[in-house]
Amino acid sequence: MVGGASLVEAEHIAVELAGLIQAVDRYRQMYRGTGRHDDFSLRSDLLLRSGAGSSLRHRMSECQHSDMTTLPKVPRRGLAHEAADLIRQAIFSGDFPPGAPLREVQLAAALGISRGSVREGLALLEREGLIRGGWHRGTSVIEITARDVEEVYTLRSALDRLAAVTAQAKAGPAQWAELDALVEAMTAELGDAASAPRLLALDIAFHDRIYEAADNDRLNRAWQAVRSQVYLFQTRRVAFGYEHYRERVVDEHRELVALLRGGDREALAHCAEEHVHTARRSLLAHLPPDSSGQKSSTT
């Protein structure tokens, strides 16, 4: 563990280091374009070798040899990740529906960031399978076809089945209480003129908790790889058949919690799969046939 004093000292060092860097930068600005590079180098060197600089180097060395080295690295989220978050949410909310173009220049202006950051954010969303792009065509939100639905929901049914039976074996009362709380939040939402986006957010959060309870890193990464597509597809399923979704959302999730608490592995596996297939059938009922002319199976 790292003591509070060490953390405070680290913060002080960071502030002082920032001050020194700003001072060096002021000297750089002063001598820029004057040809007096030697003066700039000398003043900067004197500053860094001064009492403040020496003290700072000594204290930094002490921190490097302290138990602070056991701290995990703090994740850094740059503008690209922030851009990805905002664009993803705009896609989920319907501001950019399936097939809608995503233009770097317009997004950069709307978000107040560079095109480069937008481009990196779009690359993240493309890896999630939420958008498509290429040299011969612009970037756009994915279309939702019958084939896409079959592929995504078939994969999800296998993942959800494995997550549920694994969580049943590993998790306990604390995890079940979290799921109960989410079901109760869904129930309360239904009683307050339910908002479809809020219900869906609770729905996805419920399944996130099951994957967390399964405590399998690779399984959770597989879920995260398809999660954005599932979320998008579910927004369309809810939009097409909100009453169908509204009537089932609480009961289906309450049944899952009850089976997770019990010991019937096969009943839980079947329920987890059927929960996904119900959503698949509901969405497919509102989509045109795929290119082969087949609507797809309804099992």
Side-chain angles (χ1 to χ4, degrees):
M1 294 290 292
V2 178
S6 295
L7 291 173
V8 171
E9 177 67 1
E11 292 174 356
H12 289 166
I13 289 173
V15 171
E16 292 180 31
L17 179 60
L20 286 173
I21 292 172
Q22 288 175 358
V24 171
D25 190 63
R26 283 198 298 272
Y27 286 133
R28 180 181 292 109
Q29 295 295 330
M30 288 171 57
Y31 291 101
R32 177 176 293 170
T34 65
R36 297 164 60 189
H37 302 296
D38 289 342
D39 284 350
F40 165 69
S41 299
L42 177 60
R43 285 177 177 269
S44 299
D45 188 64
L46 287 173
L47 177 65
L48 294 174
R49 292 177 182 274
S50 66
S54 298
S55 173
L56 181 58
R57 286 196 302 273
H58 176 69
R59 286 156 59 204
M60 287 176 68
S61 177
E62 289 182 340
C63 279
Q64 288 171 353
H65 290 89
S66 75
D67 55 358
M68 283 193 69
T69 56
T70 62
L71 277 176
K73 298 296 184 184
V74 177
R76 294 186 177 182
R77 286 179 56 82
L79 289 175
H81 285 87
E82 296 298 332
D85 287 347
L86 291 170
I87 297 169
R88 184 190 303 108
Q89 188 53 49
I91 292 171
F92 292 159
S93 66
D95 293 330
F96 296 113
L102 297 168
R103 299 182 175 89
E104 283 182 16
V105 174
Q106 294 176 354
L107 290 170
L111 297 173
I113 59 176
S114 70
R115 289 181 62 183
S117 295
V118 169
R119 190 178 304 116
E120 292 175 26
L122 292 175
L124 294 173
L125 298 180
E126 188 167 8
R127 286 198 289 273
E128 293 177 12
L130 201 55
I131 67 175
R132 291 193 176 109
W135 290 109
H136 61 291
R137 61 183 179 185
T139 301
S140 62
V141 181
I142 60 170
E143 299 279 3
I144 300 179
T145 67
R147 176 173 178 173
D148 293 327
V149 172
E150 287 287 2
E151 290 182 355
V152 169
Y153 282 89
T154 298
L155 176 58
R156 184 193 173 188
S157 68
L159 293 175
D160 275 17
R161 174 191 174 109
L162 180 57
V165 297
T166 305
Q168 185 186 53
K170 288 187 175 183
Q175 287 76 25
W176 310 149
E178 289 183 4
L179 296 178
D180 283 336
L182 286 166
V183 173
E184 290 310 310
M186 293 178 198
T187 304
E189 187 64 36
L190 287 176
D192 294 333
S195 158
R198 286 198 295 269
L199 270 179
L200 182 55
L202 291 168
D203 183 339
I204 297 295
F206 179 96
H207 292 283
D208 286 338
R209 297 297 181 277
I210 293 179
Y211 280 91
E212 291 169 9
D215 193 26
N216 182 317
D217 289 340
R218 288 172 175 79
L219 176 60
N220 193 49
R221 284 198 294 271
W223 163 240
Q224 292 300 323
V226 76
R227 183 182 184 275
S228 286
Q229 295 176 66
V230 169
Y231 208 127
L232 176 61
F233 287 19
Q234 284 291 86
T235 63
R236 304 308 294 167
R237 176 241 176 147
V238 173
F240 287 140
Y242 177 59
E243 286 305 316
H244 180 272
Y245 176 74
R246 189 179 187 277
E247 290 169 0
R248 289 162 174 77
V249 62
V250 170
D251 289 343
E252 287 186 3
H253 288 88
R254 184 171 283 136
E255 182 182 12
L256 279 169
V257 180
L259 289 169
L260 282 162
R261 279 194 171 94
D264 192 334
R265 178 188 173 99
E266 288 305 314
L268 172 61
H270 174 76
C271 182
E273 287 186 326
E274 181 56 25
H275 178 66
V276 175
H277 290 313
T278 296
R280 176 180 61 82
R281 290 190 293 266
S282 177
L283 180 52
L284 284 173
H286 294 89
L287 294 178
D290 60 25
S291 58
S292 67
Q294 299 296 316
K295 186 69 175 183
S296 111
S297 63
T298 57
T299 59

